[in-house]
Amino acid sequence: MSPARHTRTRVTVRVPAKVNLELVVGPARADGYHDLSTVFHAVGLYDEVTVTRAPQWSVQVRGPYADRVPTGPENLALAAAHRLAQACPGGEPVAISIDKEIPVAGGMAGGSADAAATLVACDLLWGMDAERDLLDAVAAGLGSDVNFALTGGTAIGSGRGERVAPVLGRGRYHWVFAVSDEGLSTGDVFAECDRLRAGEQIPAPEPSPVMMTALRSGEPAALAAAMSNDLQEAAFSLRPQLREVLAAGLEYGALGGVVSGSGPTVAFLVSGPEGALDLAVALTASGAAHDVKRAVGPVHGAHLVETPRVS
Ligand code: ATP
């Protein structure tokens, strides 16, 4: 352990949002979850999580979506800090401050991202130097997307999504996100997916060859054509106006679009930075989306920052 670790009183970790380039949903399991095959992709929309030594555990959230995030024990960042303290000796109370840019309940795994950032931040603050296997085990117990937020990049997720294997792809992709003003519950969207597929024979999920080929090519147009999401119809069923958002983005020049995870954020892939700006302006002017954000991907998973956005 380096002496520097012992002297830290505060650590800030930046963590990206995710979009699912592909989401294949298998049959419902006995435990209520679904086996998935997904291609996660980390994009440059970031939350920053700062942990500071404190007399008692607490969490506060700031940013445009702060009022939608719980600040009690159900906050995933607080849950993450508690779990790591239980798993490793030396975990003492921290005050957690989340500077939130990732939309809440938007299908971009913001809560999971905060949990992953908190694990990395507490590990550094407490000087634990925890093995990656331990962080992964704690992450898997917190939620299906937490492991990917630790990893970042582009990766295949299996199991409930918690088993993550990096994909060696090429390319840097430009994204525009149409954000809704009201979230969708992940549980509700899976339940609707089950309802829509009732009676169908659902095969075991696996990555599609067309997606793997597209990622190897690094071609945005190939990736746009390969994107798919088995939860998209369920999200449309619960929020019919999302069909119009998707149609608007395609009409305004996106190469492709897909509902991100369980939605309601719609992710549009464009050809480059100019295309991203044009699409963002058009979507904003049309009023099709409550908020419009741009980002590039892939980016790194949860990582230390020396200069936080807000100190
Ligand atoms: P996913 O794509 O992983 O299913 P999501 O992006 O749709 O998730 P989140 O932003 O993770 O949704 O939020 C889901 C719910 O989790 C929110 O409604 C919120 O009440 C709760 N939550 C708990 N902790 C947090 C947190 N730190 N940040 C955001 N939401 C949190």
PDB file of all heavy atoms in Angstrom, residues 15 24 33 35 43 60 64-65 82 86 90 98 108 123 129 154 170 213-215 233 244 255 259 269 275 293 297 305:
ATOM      1  N   VAL A  15     -17.531   8.122 -13.941  1.00  0.00           N
ATOM      2  CA  VAL A  15     -18.050   6.846 -14.454  1.00  0.00           C
ATOM      3  C   VAL A  15     -19.034   7.128 -15.595  1.00  0.00           C
ATOM      4  O   VAL A  15     -19.827   8.056 -15.522  1.00  0.00           O
ATOM      5  CB  VAL A  15     -18.699   6.044 -13.294  1.00  0.00           C
ATOM      6  CG1 VAL A  15     -19.924   6.746 -12.723  1.00  0.00           C
ATOM      7  CG2 VAL A  15     -19.036   4.623 -13.709  1.00  0.00           C
ATOM      8  N   VAL A  24     -30.358  -9.093 -26.269  1.00  0.00           N
ATOM      9  CA  VAL A  24     -31.136 -10.294 -26.565  1.00  0.00           C
ATOM     10  C   VAL A  24     -31.639 -10.847 -25.234  1.00  0.00           C
ATOM     11  O   VAL A  24     -30.829 -11.125 -24.339  1.00  0.00           O
ATOM     12  CB  VAL A  24     -30.275 -11.358 -27.297  1.00  0.00           C
ATOM     13  CG1 VAL A  24     -31.148 -12.542 -27.723  1.00  0.00           C
ATOM     14  CG2 VAL A  24     -29.559 -10.764 -28.491  1.00  0.00           C
ATOM     15  N   TYR A  33     -35.492 -13.276 -12.896  1.00  0.00           N
ATOM     16  CA  TYR A  33     -34.603 -12.579 -13.833  1.00  0.00           C
ATOM     17  C   TYR A  33     -34.658 -13.247 -15.203  1.00  0.00           C
ATOM     18  O   TYR A  33     -35.242 -14.319 -15.369  1.00  0.00           O
ATOM     19  CB  TYR A  33     -33.156 -12.602 -13.314  1.00  0.00           C
ATOM     20  CG  TYR A  33     -32.933 -11.707 -12.122  1.00  0.00           C
ATOM     21  CD1 TYR A  33     -32.837 -12.234 -10.843  1.00  0.00           C
ATOM     22  CD2 TYR A  33     -32.816 -10.326 -12.289  1.00  0.00           C
ATOM     23  CE1 TYR A  33     -32.636 -11.401  -9.740  1.00  0.00           C
ATOM     24  CE2 TYR A  33     -32.621  -9.500 -11.205  1.00  0.00           C
ATOM     25  CZ  TYR A  33     -32.529 -10.041  -9.931  1.00  0.00           C
ATOM     26  OH  TYR A  33     -32.340  -9.217  -8.859  1.00  0.00           O
ATOM     27  N   ASP A  35     -32.081 -14.451 -18.478  1.00  0.00           N
ATOM     28  CA  ASP A  35     -30.729 -14.525 -19.029  1.00  0.00           C
ATOM     29  C   ASP A  35     -30.676 -13.610 -20.235  1.00  0.00           C
ATOM     30  O   ASP A  35     -31.624 -13.551 -21.029  1.00  0.00           O
ATOM     31  CB  ASP A  35     -30.388 -15.959 -19.434  1.00  0.00           C
ATOM     32  CG  ASP A  35     -29.880 -16.756 -18.252  1.00  0.00           C
ATOM     33  OD1 ASP A  35     -29.171 -16.174 -17.413  1.00  0.00           O
ATOM     34  OD2 ASP A  35     -30.209 -17.951 -18.162  1.00  0.00           O
ATOM     35  N   VAL A  43     -20.420   5.225 -22.971  1.00  0.00           N
ATOM     36  CA  VAL A  43     -20.412   6.502 -23.699  1.00  0.00           C
ATOM     37  C   VAL A  43     -20.085   7.652 -22.736  1.00  0.00           C
ATOM     38  O   VAL A  43     -20.341   7.563 -21.537  1.00  0.00           O
ATOM     39  CB  VAL A  43     -21.768   6.766 -24.398  1.00  0.00           C
ATOM     40  CG1 VAL A  43     -22.002   5.733 -25.493  1.00  0.00           C
ATOM     41  CG2 VAL A  43     -22.929   6.767 -23.415  1.00  0.00           C
ATOM     42  N   GLN A  60     -25.470  12.554  -0.990  1.00  0.00           N
ATOM     43  CA  GLN A  60     -26.211  13.680  -1.550  1.00  0.00           C
ATOM     44  C   GLN A  60     -25.992  13.682  -3.058  1.00  0.00           C
ATOM     45  O   GLN A  60     -24.964  13.197  -3.555  1.00  0.00           O
ATOM     46  CB  GLN A  60     -25.783  15.013  -0.941  1.00  0.00           C
ATOM     47  CG  GLN A  60     -24.309  15.302  -1.101  1.00  0.00           C
ATOM     48  CD  GLN A  60     -23.992  16.790  -1.040  1.00  0.00           C
ATOM     49  OE1 GLN A  60     -24.877  17.621  -1.060  1.00  0.00           O
ATOM     50  NE2 GLN A  60     -22.707  17.109  -0.984  1.00  0.00           N
ATOM     51  N   PRO A  64     -29.071  18.088 -12.758  1.00  0.00           N
ATOM     52  CA  PRO A  64     -30.443  18.295 -13.225  1.00  0.00           C
ATOM     53  C   PRO A  64     -31.432  17.198 -12.841  1.00  0.00           C
ATOM     54  O   PRO A  64     -32.627  17.424 -12.816  1.00  0.00           O
ATOM     55  CB  PRO A  64     -30.284  18.363 -14.757  1.00  0.00           C
ATOM     56  CG  PRO A  64     -28.928  17.822 -15.056  1.00  0.00           C
ATOM     57  CD  PRO A  64     -28.093  18.039 -13.837  1.00  0.00           C
ATOM     58  N   TYR A  65     -30.930  15.990 -12.543  1.00  0.00           N
ATOM     59  CA  TYR A  65     -31.853  14.884 -12.236  1.00  0.00           C
ATOM     60  C   TYR A  65     -31.845  14.530 -10.746  1.00  0.00           C
ATOM     61  O   TYR A  65     -32.375  13.498 -10.352  1.00  0.00           O
ATOM     62  CB  TYR A  65     -31.474  13.640 -13.045  1.00  0.00           C
ATOM     63  CG  TYR A  65     -31.297  13.901 -14.521  1.00  0.00           C
ATOM     64  CD1 TYR A  65     -30.035  13.938 -15.089  1.00  0.00           C
ATOM     65  CD2 TYR A  65     -32.407  14.108 -15.338  1.00  0.00           C
ATOM     66  CE1 TYR A  65     -29.868  14.174 -16.449  1.00  0.00           C
ATOM     67  CE2 TYR A  65     -32.244  14.344 -16.686  1.00  0.00           C
ATOM     68  CZ  TYR A  65     -30.969  14.380 -17.242  1.00  0.00           C
ATOM     69  OH  TYR A  65     -30.818  14.616 -18.575  1.00  0.00           O
ATOM     70  N   HIS A  82     -21.527   0.346   1.607  1.00  0.00           N
ATOM     71  CA  HIS A  82     -21.795  -0.559   2.730  1.00  0.00           C
ATOM     72  C   HIS A  82     -21.317  -1.972   2.421  1.00  0.00           C
ATOM     73  O   HIS A  82     -20.671  -2.615   3.246  1.00  0.00           O
ATOM     74  CB  HIS A  82     -23.303  -0.605   3.030  1.00  0.00           C
ATOM     75  CG  HIS A  82     -23.805   0.601   3.750  1.00  0.00           C
ATOM     76  ND1 HIS A  82     -25.077   1.102   3.578  1.00  0.00           N
ATOM     77  CD2 HIS A  82     -23.212   1.427   4.645  1.00  0.00           C
ATOM     78  CE1 HIS A  82     -25.238   2.169   4.345  1.00  0.00           C
ATOM     79  NE2 HIS A  82     -24.120   2.394   4.991  1.00  0.00           N
ATOM     80  N   GLN A  86     -18.442  -4.208   4.294  1.00  0.00           N
ATOM     81  CA  GLN A  86     -18.707  -5.527   4.903  1.00  0.00           C
ATOM     82  C   GLN A  86     -17.746  -6.589   4.372  1.00  0.00           C
ATOM     83  O   GLN A  86     -17.342  -7.497   5.084  1.00  0.00           O
ATOM     84  CB  GLN A  86     -20.139  -5.975   4.603  1.00  0.00           C
ATOM     85  CG  GLN A  86     -21.175  -5.259   5.456  1.00  0.00           C
ATOM     86  CD  GLN A  86     -22.581  -5.311   4.837  1.00  0.00           C
ATOM     87  OE1 GLN A  86     -22.806  -5.996   3.841  1.00  0.00           O
ATOM     88  NE2 GLN A  86     -23.505  -4.574   5.433  1.00  0.00           N
ATOM     89  N   GLY A  90     -11.689  -2.505   7.341  1.00  0.00           N
ATOM     90  CA  GLY A  90     -11.113  -1.158   7.157  1.00  0.00           C
ATOM     91  C   GLY A  90     -12.054  -0.150   6.544  1.00  0.00           C
ATOM     92  O   GLY A  90     -11.684   1.016   6.388  1.00  0.00           O
ATOM     93  N   ILE A  98     -22.741  12.833  -5.303  1.00  0.00           N
ATOM     94  CA  ILE A  98     -22.873  12.413  -6.703  1.00  0.00           C
ATOM     95  C   ILE A  98     -23.214  13.630  -7.545  1.00  0.00           C
ATOM     96  O   ILE A  98     -24.228  14.290  -7.305  1.00  0.00           O
ATOM     97  CB  ILE A  98     -23.981  11.351  -6.856  1.00  0.00           C
ATOM     98  CG1 ILE A  98     -23.682  10.137  -5.967  1.00  0.00           C
ATOM     99  CG2 ILE A  98     -24.123  10.931  -8.327  1.00  0.00           C
ATOM    100  CD1 ILE A  98     -24.823   9.107  -5.920  1.00  0.00           C
ATOM    101  N   MET A 108     -29.836   3.922 -19.058  1.00  0.00           N
ATOM    102  CA  MET A 108     -28.405   4.175 -19.272  1.00  0.00           C
ATOM    103  C   MET A 108     -27.573   3.774 -18.048  1.00  0.00           C
ATOM    104  O   MET A 108     -26.388   4.097 -17.955  1.00  0.00           O
ATOM    105  CB  MET A 108     -28.173   5.636 -19.633  1.00  0.00           C
ATOM    106  CG  MET A 108     -28.939   6.031 -20.894  1.00  0.00           C
ATOM    107  SD  MET A 108     -28.403   7.593 -21.578  1.00  0.00           S
ATOM    108  CE  MET A 108     -26.936   7.101 -22.484  1.00  0.00           C
ATOM    109  N   ASP A 123     -12.502   1.966  -2.378  1.00  0.00           N
ATOM    110  CA  ASP A 123     -11.310   1.110  -2.384  1.00  0.00           C
ATOM    111  C   ASP A 123     -10.041   1.966  -2.276  1.00  0.00           C
ATOM    112  O   ASP A 123      -9.130   1.664  -1.502  1.00  0.00           O
ATOM    113  CB  ASP A 123     -11.303   0.273  -3.667  1.00  0.00           C
ATOM    114  CG  ASP A 123     -10.107  -0.651  -3.751  1.00  0.00           C
ATOM    115  OD1 ASP A 123      -9.808  -1.318  -2.747  1.00  0.00           O
ATOM    116  OD2 ASP A 123      -9.457  -0.682  -4.814  1.00  0.00           O
ATOM    117  N   ASP A 129      -6.897  -1.650  -1.686  1.00  0.00           N
ATOM    118  CA  ASP A 129      -6.246  -2.318  -2.805  1.00  0.00           C
ATOM    119  C   ASP A 129      -6.923  -3.660  -3.089  1.00  0.00           C
ATOM    120  O   ASP A 129      -6.267  -4.688  -3.248  1.00  0.00           O
ATOM    121  CB  ASP A 129      -4.766  -2.528  -2.468  1.00  0.00           C
ATOM    122  CG  ASP A 129      -3.903  -2.400  -3.704  1.00  0.00           C
ATOM    123  OD1 ASP A 129      -4.456  -2.141  -4.779  1.00  0.00           O
ATOM    124  OD2 ASP A 129      -2.677  -2.595  -3.585  1.00  0.00           O
ATOM    125  N   THR A 154     -16.351  -1.547 -24.830  1.00  0.00           N
ATOM    126  CA  THR A 154     -17.448  -2.293 -25.444  1.00  0.00           C
ATOM    127  C   THR A 154     -17.288  -3.731 -24.976  1.00  0.00           C
ATOM    128  O   THR A 154     -16.168  -4.262 -24.993  1.00  0.00           O
ATOM    129  CB  THR A 154     -17.377  -2.215 -26.983  1.00  0.00           C
ATOM    130  OG1 THR A 154     -17.381  -0.838 -27.371  1.00  0.00           O
ATOM    131  CG2 THR A 154     -18.547  -2.920 -27.638  1.00  0.00           C
ATOM    132  N   ARG A 170     -13.197  -2.063 -33.269  1.00  0.00           N
ATOM    133  CA  ARG A 170     -12.522  -0.855 -33.737  1.00  0.00           C
ATOM    134  C   ARG A 170     -13.547   0.247 -33.774  1.00  0.00           C
ATOM    135  O   ARG A 170     -14.727   0.023 -33.679  1.00  0.00           O
ATOM    136  CB  ARG A 170     -11.980  -1.086 -35.145  1.00  0.00           C
ATOM    137  CG  ARG A 170     -11.039  -2.252 -35.174  1.00  0.00           C
ATOM    138  CD  ARG A 170     -10.221  -2.289 -36.389  1.00  0.00           C
ATOM    139  NE  ARG A 170     -10.978  -2.041 -37.615  1.00  0.00           N
ATOM    140  CZ  ARG A 170     -10.439  -2.114 -38.812  1.00  0.00           C
ATOM    141  NH1 ARG A 170      -9.181  -2.416 -38.927  1.00  0.00           N
ATOM    142  NH2 ARG A 170     -11.147  -1.897 -39.894  1.00  0.00           N
ATOM    143  N   THR A 213     -19.502  -8.847 -36.398  1.00  0.00           N
ATOM    144  CA  THR A 213     -18.846  -8.425 -37.640  1.00  0.00           C
ATOM    145  C   THR A 213     -18.825  -6.900 -37.726  1.00  0.00           C
ATOM    146  O   THR A 213     -17.810  -6.291 -38.111  1.00  0.00           O
ATOM    147  CB  THR A 213     -19.593  -9.012 -38.858  1.00  0.00           C
ATOM    148  OG1 THR A 213     -19.658 -10.418 -38.686  1.00  0.00           O
ATOM    149  CG2 THR A 213     -18.879  -8.697 -40.163  1.00  0.00           C
ATOM    150  N   ALA A 214     -19.937  -6.272 -37.365  1.00  0.00           N
ATOM    151  CA  ALA A 214     -20.011  -4.806 -37.427  1.00  0.00           C
ATOM    152  C   ALA A 214     -18.976  -4.180 -36.497  1.00  0.00           C
ATOM    153  O   ALA A 214     -18.289  -3.212 -36.864  1.00  0.00           O
ATOM    154  CB  ALA A 214     -21.412  -4.342 -37.055  1.00  0.00           C
ATOM    155  N   LEU A 215     -18.845  -4.722 -35.283  1.00  0.00           N
ATOM    156  CA  LEU A 215     -17.887  -4.148 -34.332  1.00  0.00           C
ATOM    157  C   LEU A 215     -16.451  -4.327 -34.814  1.00  0.00           C
ATOM    158  O   LEU A 215     -15.613  -3.443 -34.633  1.00  0.00           O
ATOM    159  CB  LEU A 215     -18.068  -4.792 -32.950  1.00  0.00           C
ATOM    160  CG  LEU A 215     -19.322  -4.354 -32.198  1.00  0.00           C
ATOM    161  CD1 LEU A 215     -19.527  -5.211 -30.955  1.00  0.00           C
ATOM    162  CD2 LEU A 215     -19.242  -2.877 -31.810  1.00  0.00           C
ATOM    163  N   GLU A 233     -39.827  -3.202 -28.198  1.00  0.00           N
ATOM    164  CA  GLU A 233     -41.290  -3.259 -28.399  1.00  0.00           C
ATOM    165  C   GLU A 233     -42.024  -3.055 -27.080  1.00  0.00           C
ATOM    166  O   GLU A 233     -43.080  -2.414 -27.036  1.00  0.00           O
ATOM    167  CB  GLU A 233     -41.701  -4.589 -29.031  1.00  0.00           C
ATOM    168  CG  GLU A 233     -41.496  -4.659 -30.532  1.00  0.00           C
ATOM    169  CD  GLU A 233     -42.183  -3.495 -31.287  1.00  0.00           C
ATOM    170  OE1 GLU A 233     -43.357  -3.206 -30.999  1.00  0.00           O
ATOM    171  OE2 GLU A 233     -41.535  -2.883 -32.150  1.00  0.00           O
ATOM    172  N   GLU A 244     -42.312   7.696 -32.148  1.00  0.00           N
ATOM    173  CA  GLU A 244     -42.171   8.973 -32.884  1.00  0.00           C
ATOM    174  C   GLU A 244     -40.791   9.564 -32.684  1.00  0.00           C
ATOM    175  O   GLU A 244     -40.214  10.153 -33.598  1.00  0.00           O
ATOM    176  CB  GLU A 244     -43.245   9.959 -32.416  1.00  0.00           C
ATOM    177  CG  GLU A 244     -44.631   9.567 -32.876  1.00  0.00           C
ATOM    178  CD  GLU A 244     -45.721  10.086 -31.956  1.00  0.00           C
ATOM    179  OE1 GLU A 244     -45.585  11.200 -31.437  1.00  0.00           O
ATOM    180  OE2 GLU A 244     -46.709   9.351 -31.768  1.00  0.00           O
ATOM    181  N   LEU A 255     -27.868   7.505 -38.590  1.00  0.00           N
ATOM    182  CA  LEU A 255     -27.607   6.260 -39.331  1.00  0.00           C
ATOM    183  C   LEU A 255     -28.485   5.133 -38.803  1.00  0.00           C
ATOM    184  O   LEU A 255     -28.847   4.216 -39.534  1.00  0.00           O
ATOM    185  CB  LEU A 255     -26.139   5.850 -39.155  1.00  0.00           C
ATOM    186  CG  LEU A 255     -25.080   6.790 -39.724  1.00  0.00           C
ATOM    187  CD1 LEU A 255     -23.694   6.327 -39.296  1.00  0.00           C
ATOM    188  CD2 LEU A 255     -25.192   6.827 -41.246  1.00  0.00           C
ATOM    189  N   VAL A 259     -33.739   1.983 -28.764  1.00  0.00           N
ATOM    190  CA  VAL A 259     -34.027   2.296 -27.365  1.00  0.00           C
ATOM    191  C   VAL A 259     -32.877   1.735 -26.529  1.00  0.00           C
ATOM    192  O   VAL A 259     -32.427   0.617 -26.742  1.00  0.00           O
ATOM    193  CB  VAL A 259     -35.380   1.675 -26.943  1.00  0.00           C
ATOM    194  CG1 VAL A 259     -35.559   1.729 -25.436  1.00  0.00           C
ATOM    195  CG2 VAL A 259     -36.534   2.398 -27.638  1.00  0.00           C
ATOM    196  N   LEU A 269     -27.123   6.715 -33.551  1.00  0.00           N
ATOM    197  CA  LEU A 269     -25.744   6.677 -34.038  1.00  0.00           C
ATOM    198  C   LEU A 269     -25.655   7.565 -35.279  1.00  0.00           C
ATOM    199  O   LEU A 269     -26.501   7.469 -36.176  1.00  0.00           O
ATOM    200  CB  LEU A 269     -25.370   5.231 -34.372  1.00  0.00           C
ATOM    201  CG  LEU A 269     -23.946   4.951 -34.823  1.00  0.00           C
ATOM    202  CD1 LEU A 269     -22.918   5.430 -33.802  1.00  0.00           C
ATOM    203  CD2 LEU A 269     -23.770   3.446 -35.047  1.00  0.00           C
ATOM    204  N   GLY A 275     -22.546  15.598 -37.745  1.00  0.00           N
ATOM    205  CA  GLY A 275     -23.845  14.921 -37.792  1.00  0.00           C
ATOM    206  C   GLY A 275     -24.508  14.930 -36.424  1.00  0.00           C
ATOM    207  O   GLY A 275     -25.728  15.065 -36.308  1.00  0.00           O
ATOM    208  N   LYS A 293     -28.673  14.909 -25.619  1.00  0.00           N
ATOM    209  CA  LYS A 293     -27.272  14.905 -25.225  1.00  0.00           C
ATOM    210  C   LYS A 293     -26.434  14.240 -26.309  1.00  0.00           C
ATOM    211  O   LYS A 293     -26.930  13.378 -27.026  1.00  0.00           O
ATOM    212  CB  LYS A 293     -27.091  14.153 -23.902  1.00  0.00           C
ATOM    213  CG  LYS A 293     -27.727  14.900 -22.729  1.00  0.00           C
ATOM    214  CD  LYS A 293     -27.499  14.186 -21.426  1.00  0.00           C
ATOM    215  CE  LYS A 293     -28.060  14.965 -20.245  1.00  0.00           C
ATOM    216  NZ  LYS A 293     -27.319  16.185 -19.939  1.00  0.00           N
ATOM    217  N   GLY A 297     -18.305   7.169 -27.925  1.00  0.00           N
ATOM    218  CA  GLY A 297     -17.991   5.902 -27.277  1.00  0.00           C
ATOM    219  C   GLY A 297     -17.095   5.081 -28.197  1.00  0.00           C
ATOM    220  O   GLY A 297     -17.038   5.371 -29.398  1.00  0.00           O
ATOM    221  N   VAL A 305     -10.387  10.643 -10.928  1.00  0.00           N
ATOM    222  CA  VAL A 305     -10.063  11.953 -11.516  1.00  0.00           C
ATOM    223  C   VAL A 305      -9.453  12.831 -10.431  1.00  0.00           C
ATOM    224  O   VAL A 305      -9.891  12.819  -9.281  1.00  0.00           O
ATOM    225  CB  VAL A 305     -11.274  12.687 -12.136  1.00  0.00           C
ATOM    226  CG1 VAL A 305     -11.657  12.088 -13.453  1.00  0.00           C
ATOM    227  CG2 VAL A 305     -12.467  12.749 -11.221  1.00  0.00           C
TER     228      VAL A 305
END
